[in-house]
Every structure is written in structure tokens, then in C-alpha cells.
Amino acid sequence: MANILFVITGADHWTLADGTAHPTGFWAEEVLTPHQMFTAAGHHVTVATPGGVVPTADQASLTPESNGGQDGADDARHALAAMTELHHPRKLDEVDPTAFDAVFYPGGHGPMEDLAVNADSGALLTRALDHGTPLGVVCHGPAALLAATRPDGANAFADHRVAAFTNAEEAQAGFADKAPWLLQDRLTDAGLTVQVGEPWTPNVVTDRTLITGQNPASSAPLAAELLTLLR
């Protein structure tokens, strides 16, 4: 049995370019699907958030439209309620990533608000990278990679190939002209190579111990790839 750390945004809003607060949080599918796959394989999941706050699900991720109908939406809500780890998260600054066999970061717009600039998360990611701990990061989760900097200011992942939520997808979601910055652009500026797939279709990129996914549809294949590394 492996121990897998889920680092989840603690933000319940995303500050847009005009200063307004857009309600958000984590994207339900990106937490539930990997959690179900990992636990079905016999692994144990621990959740950590900044400050140990109970994370908020983006309500847009719990609509019938996002879950293939009302039954799917109901199933997602019930699964979140039953995921006890979500309701008792550990404080991010008290977590040692080397005590875990893998680390996983789901998305939602929340990471754009907090994890992108969270020094504790950045230090955790850098330590996990240097220790060789497998890292799975999906959708807007790669925003957290921006906080992983070396003492000289260079990004710890600067020589890595990644997938992340793209400019095209942000435009199609209706936020590209409202966002204070775009994830694909910021990752590129930090020295990472973003490998862009077709919008809304699975795209998983594995580079050494880092596995990244472009969008919610990538969460299942990313989890499967992470499970392969844990064998």
C-alpha cells in the first residue's frame, strides 16, 4: 500500500483582473476520480491544504452539465461528502513530502489564487522533486509549480515538459479576457515547455517523475500513469 498526499487549494475564490472575486475552489472530478482510482488500488490518501482549511469544491464542477446529467451530479456530491480526508485536512506547512510515496495536485481555478504564490507548497514540490517522489499535477494544478523556485530564483521545474490548462481552453471557458494572467503563458515564462493538446481532450505528459494533465478529462489517465509509477 502506498501513501499518497493530495495537496488541494484552500481558496474559495479567484481574484479576476478587475478585482472582483469569482467563486471557485477545487474541481470535483479532479479530486474524486484519482481518489477513487488510488483507493480502489489499495492505497491511502492524505489531504493537505494551506492552513489546514477544509477545501471548497467549485460549484460549477457539481452541475449536471459537468457530470453527464443530474445522476452524475448527485453521485459527485455524495462522493465528496463521503471522502472523509477532505473534511480533516492537514496543514500544508506541517507536511513532509518525503514521507509519502506520491504527491498529487488537482486543479480548479483555486490554485491560481493561492498555490501559485504559496511558499510552503513551492518548497514541498521542490523537495519532492529532489527526492524523486512521483508528482501528479492536473489542469490548473500546475499553477502551483510557479511557486517552486530555487534560491537563485530559477524555477525548479524549468527544464520539464508539462501539460496544463491552455489559453484556448481558458478562452472557451470564458475567462481568458478576465484572468489576471494565463497559466500556459506563466509556465512558459518560467522556463517550462507546455505541450498543448486539443481542448477538453485527455493530454498527459510524463517527464521523469512529473506527470501532468491538461484538463479534467486528463485526471483519469494521469491517475493511471501515477499508479504505474507506484508499482
Side-chain angles (χ1 to χ4, degrees):
M1 181 186 75
N3 292 309
I4 303 174
L5 176 66
F6 275 42
V7 179
I8 301 180
T9 177
D12 61 5
H13 71 278
W14 177 31
T15 305
L16 301 180
D18 64 0
T20 60
H22 171 70
T24 187
F26 66 85
W27 197 259
E29 178 183 352
E30 297 166 20
V31 168
L32 290 175
T33 297
H35 180 266
Q36 291 164 355
M37 293 175 66
F38 296 151
T39 55
H43 303 312
H44 180 264
V45 169
T46 297
V47 171
T49 64
V53 302
V54 175
T56 299
D58 190 319
Q59 291 303 300
S61 71
L62 296 172
T63 63
E65 293 77 12
S66 296
N67 291 277
Q70 187 61 54
D71 288 346
D74 292 342
D75 288 345
R77 290 183 183 276
H78 293 152
L80 286 178
M83 188 176 163
T84 56
E85 303 95 332
L86 275 180
H87 311 300
H88 305 283
R90 295 179 59 182
K91 293 182 179 180
L92 186 58
D93 63 353
E94 297 178 355
V95 172
D96 176 5
T98 66
F100 294 88
D101 299 292
V103 178
F104 176 72
Y105 277 69
H109 278 114
M112 302 279 280
E113 182 73 19
D114 62 352
L115 298 181
V117 294
N118 187 286
D120 294 323
S121 175
L124 184 150
L125 283 165
T126 302
R127 191 173 181 194
L129 174 67
D130 293 344
H131 191 258
T133 303
L135 290 165
V137 193
V138 67
C139 200
H140 287 92
L145 303 180
L146 297 172
T149 54
R150 302 290 188 186
D152 64 0
N155 191 282
F157 295 90
D159 61 344
H160 283 70
R161 295 174 293 105
V162 296
F165 202 70
T166 64
N167 291 355
E169 286 167 322
E170 205 70 86
Q172 292 176 22
F175 288 105
D177 59 348
K178 302 174 183 177
W181 48 271
L182 297 176
L183 180 56
Q184 180 183 335
D185 292 345
R186 279 288 178 89
L187 291 170
T188 301
D189 291 344
L192 288 75
T193 300
V194 181
Q195 297 192 335
V196 177
E198 289 296 317
W200 314 110
T201 61
N203 177 32
V204 174
V205 174
T206 301
D207 189 342
R208 288 156 280 184
T209 56
L210 177 65
I211 310 169
T212 49
Q214 180 172 313
N215 45 38
S218 305
S219 59
L222 185 153
E225 184 68 18
L226 191 58
L227 284 170
T228 297
L229 285 185
L230 289 172
R231 288 174 185 162

